[in-house]
Amino acid sequence: MNLKYLWTALAALIFLNGCNQDDSSTPRTAVEPPKTDVELLNEQEWDDNRVYVTKDNYILTKEANGTIPGIMKPCFVVNSAKEWPREDLSNADSYDLPRVDFRWNNGKHDAYSVMTEKQIYEARDKIWSIKTDGTDLRLVTDFLDVVPMNKQNEAVPIRMMRRSPNNRYLAWSDSVNKVIFDLKTQESIVLGSDLGHSQFLWAEDSSYLYFEDRAKYWKYDIVSGKTTQMDDDFHFSEVGVIYGGKRYVVSDYGIVVFNESNNKRLYSIGLSTAEEDKLAAKNISLSYDRKYFLKSRSISPNGKYAWGESAQYRYFINLETKEVKNEKIVRSEVGDYQYFEQLGLNANYVRDGAGGVIFLKLNEDKTVPKDKWMNWPQVCSGHSATLSWLYNGFANNGAFIKEDK
C-alpha cells in the first residue's frame, strides 16, 4: 500500500478510536482538512510571485513607476469573473477610501477562432470598482439579467456609468440600454432603450436620477418607480453633481449652476471672452471649438472645483470664487492641470486612467507636482479598461490614500 495513504488511514483510525473513548482525559488527534486548490497553488513558487485569490484568478505585485521608489501596487489577473468577489455594501472595509467605477473586459476576444461561451463571457465588458489606492478590486455587475449571453450579445460596449451618493445604485448605459443596477438586491431596472446619447445625474440623497433618453430629459423616482419628463428649460450634463441644494452642470463650454429645488439659474462661468461669445452666437468657428469645447471634464464631489480639457487648452475652475485658470497644452510636457480625470474632494488628489493609473497629490495651489508622482498597471489581463468615475468621494476626508501609512 502507498505509504502516504497508509499514514492517512492510520491517522483517521486513531481519530475515530479517540472519539469512542469514555475517558475525557484521553488525548484526541484531529485530522486536518485537505488543502484547497488555492492553498496548493499558493504553496508553489511562481516566477512572477503571483498570489491566487481563486483557482483561476490571481494578483501580481509590481513596483509603481514614478519619483517615489519602493511603492508596491497590485495588478489583477481575472480569468474567471464569476469567481471574483463582488462589491458588498455590508463590507465597511471596502468604503474606507474613495472608490472608482470602471469598465473592463477581463478576457480577450478572438475574432479568428470559435470561442466557447466562457471565453465570450470573459471578453464582454463588465463594470468593476476599486479603491483609489489601487486595492480591493470588486466586480459590480456583469448585467447578464439585462443583456443575456447569446450570439448577438458577444460584445456589449459600456458607454457610461454613474454611482449614487449612497453607493447603492449604479446607473449605466451601453449602446442601447439605460439601466439602474441595485447592489443591495442585485436587480436591474431598465429606464430606456434608445440608441441616442446617454447621461445621468443623481440626487444628493440618491432618491432620484435624471437621465437622457430619446433626446429628452427624464426624472426617475427610486421609491415610487415613477418616471417624469422634464421641461425644456431643464438642463444637466454627463459631468455634474447635485450638492448643497445646487445643481452643478459642466457643459461643453463652461459651468452653469442651478438651484435644484426650483431650477432657477444662479450663475454661470464661461471660459471665453465676451467678444468671442458674441461672435460664437452667430457661428461657432473651428478655432473657437478647438480652444473652448471641453472634450474631457471632471468635477469634485462637492461641486467646489471643476476641470476640463479642449483640443488646445486645459481649464481649472474654482466654482466658489469663479476663478478660471488655464494652460495651453504642450504635448511634450506635463502640464500643471493634466491627469485630472478623477478630481478628489477639495481638489487635493487627482487620478487618471483605468487600465493603467496615474496618481497625484496636488500642490497647495492645485497644480501637478512634477517631482512627486507615480503610475502603475491596475489590471494585467483582458483587452482594455476605461471610463473611470469617482464615487464614495467623501470617505477618508477625500484623501485617495491613508496618509498615515
Side-chain angles (χ1 to χ4, degrees):
M1 179 182 289
N2 186 297
L3 284 176
K4 178 180 178 181
Y5 292 104
L6 176 62
W7 283 115
T8 302
L10 286 172
L13 181 62
I14 293 169
F15 175 75
L16 290 172
N17 286 337
C19 290
N20 293 326
Q21 296 293 327
D22 293 329
D23 185 359
S24 60
S25 64
T26 302
R28 299 180 179 183
T29 304
V31 177
E32 292 186 3
K35 292 184 177 180
T36 65
D37 290 340
V38 172
E39 289 174 326
L40 293 171
L41 285 167
N42 284 330
E43 284 183 352
Q44 297 183 44
E45 295 289 333
W46 300 98
D47 292 340
D48 53 11
N49 295 317
R50 65 183 63 176
V51 175
Y52 276 85
V53 178
T54 70
K55 65 183 179 65
D56 293 319
N57 305 315
Y58 55 89
I59 300 173
L60 303 174
T61 302
K62 297 177 177 286
E63 184 173 4
N65 300 313
T67 60
I68 311 170
I71 302 295
M72 307 305 291
K73 290 292 182 181
C75 191
F76 300 91
V77 178
V78 178
N79 297 309
S80 181
K82 289 183 179 180
E83 294 179 6
W84 194 265
R86 292 203 172 222
E87 184 172 339
D88 180 1
L89 293 171
S90 66
N91 182 5
D93 290 342
S94 284
Y95 301 99
D96 61 352
L97 285 174
R99 296 185 67 90
V100 175
D101 282 318
F102 65 100
R103 63 147 292 280
W104 176 32
N105 46 8
N106 57 286
K108 290 186 177 181
H109 193 277
D110 186 353
Y112 300 100
S113 64
V114 178
M115 298 174 65
T116 66
E117 183 173 307
K118 182 183 186 306
Q119 289 172 324
I120 293 171
Y121 170 78
E122 304 301 342
R124 288 187 4 150
D125 278 6
K126 303 169 195 68
I127 299 174
W128 306 76
S129 71
I130 198 167
K131 289 183 182 181
T132 44
D133 68 350
T135 63
D136 195 44
L137 176 72
R138 299 287 176 140
L139 176 61
V140 181
T141 178
D142 57 15
F143 43 81
L144 287 176
D145 56 334
V146 177
V147 190
M149 287 287 297
N150 57 48
K151 186 67 178 177
Q152 289 72 38
N153 294 327
E154 287 190 8
V156 186
I158 295 298
R159 305 297 189 193
M160 179 178 293
M161 65 203 78
R162 297 290 184 265
R163 186 69 71 101
S164 62
N166 67 359
N167 301 330
R168 175 173 174 176
Y169 304 102
L170 175 72
W172 64 267
S173 66
D174 57 13
S175 55
V176 177
N177 301 288
K178 284 86 172 176
V179 182
I180 294 176
F181 176 68
D182 185 339
L183 276 77
K184 184 176 181 179
T185 66
Q186 296 291 297
E187 296 176 347
S188 298
I189 301 166
V190 179
L191 302 173
S193 54
D194 177 65
L195 290 170
H197 185 255
S198 297
Q199 51 191 25
F200 303 106
L201 180 63
W202 282 101
E204 186 174 354
D205 63 357
S206 306
S207 63
Y208 57 87
L209 171 74
Y210 295 123
F211 68 99
E212 182 181 3
D213 188 54
R214 290 166 285 159
K216 296 184 181 299
Y217 293 155
W218 306 82
K219 179 180 180 181
Y220 177 81
D221 186 275
I222 291 291
V223 176
S224 69
K226 182 181 178 182
T227 301
T228 306
Q229 184 177 338
M230 305 305 293
D231 295 335
D232 291 341
D233 63 349
F234 179 85
H235 298 285
F236 75 103
S237 67
E238 62 185 57
V239 175
V241 68
I242 298 173
Y243 186 79
K246 297 177 181 178
R247 184 186 340 124
Y248 298 90
V249 179
V250 186
S251 67
D252 292 343
Y253 298 98
I255 315 293
V256 186
V257 182
F258 296 88
N259 183 313
E260 174 59 10
S261 62
N262 59 18
N263 198 37
K264 180 181 178 181
R265 181 175 174 139
L266 300 176
Y267 63 90
S268 62
I269 303 172
L271 307 177
S272 52
T273 65
E275 184 62 28
E276 287 175 315
D277 286 342
K278 186 176 179 181
L279 294 172
K282 299 177 182 179
N283 178 45
I284 297 179
S285 65
L286 179 60
S287 61
Y288 183 92
D289 244 16
R290 287 178 59 80
K291 189 174 182 180
Y292 297 117
F293 178 78
L294 301 179
K295 55 187 180 66
S296 299
R297 311 168 218 173
S298 63
I299 190 167
S300 63
N302 60 357
K304 183 176 180 179
Y305 294 99
W307 169 87
E309 183 177 279
S310 71
Q312 295 181 333
Y313 285 83
R314 299 187 188 97
Y315 300 90
F316 182 71
I317 306 107
N318 184 322
L319 277 69
E320 288 186 351
T321 65
K322 304 179 185 178
E323 179 184 14
V324 178
K325 296 181 179 180
N326 67 70
E327 65 177 359
K328 191 163 186 176
I329 296 173
V330 179
R331 299 298 175 188
S332 60
E333 299 177 5
V334 175
D336 287 338
Y337 304 108
Q338 194 170 352
Y339 307 123
F340 281 40
E341 181 185 60
Q342 299 143 41
L343 185 57
L345 185 66
N346 297 319
N348 291 326
Y349 284 85
V350 294
R351 196 177 186 274
D352 191 287
V357 172
I358 296 174
F359 180 98
L360 299 161
K361 182 178 182 180
L362 298 180
N363 295 321
E364 289 295 325
D365 63 357
K366 311 303 181 185
T367 59
V368 166
K370 310 293 173 53
D371 61 342
K372 195 172 184 180
W373 59 272
M374 61 179 164
N375 70 345
W376 67 89
Q378 185 166 269
V379 295
C380 286
S381 67
H383 181 260
S384 68
T386 58
L387 302 180
S388 295
W389 185 257
L390 183 72
Y391 72 99
N392 197 41
F394 293 91
N396 195 40
N397 295 316
F400 284 6
I401 56 172
K402 295 294 183 68
E403 295 182 326
D404 57 339
K405 291 185 179 181

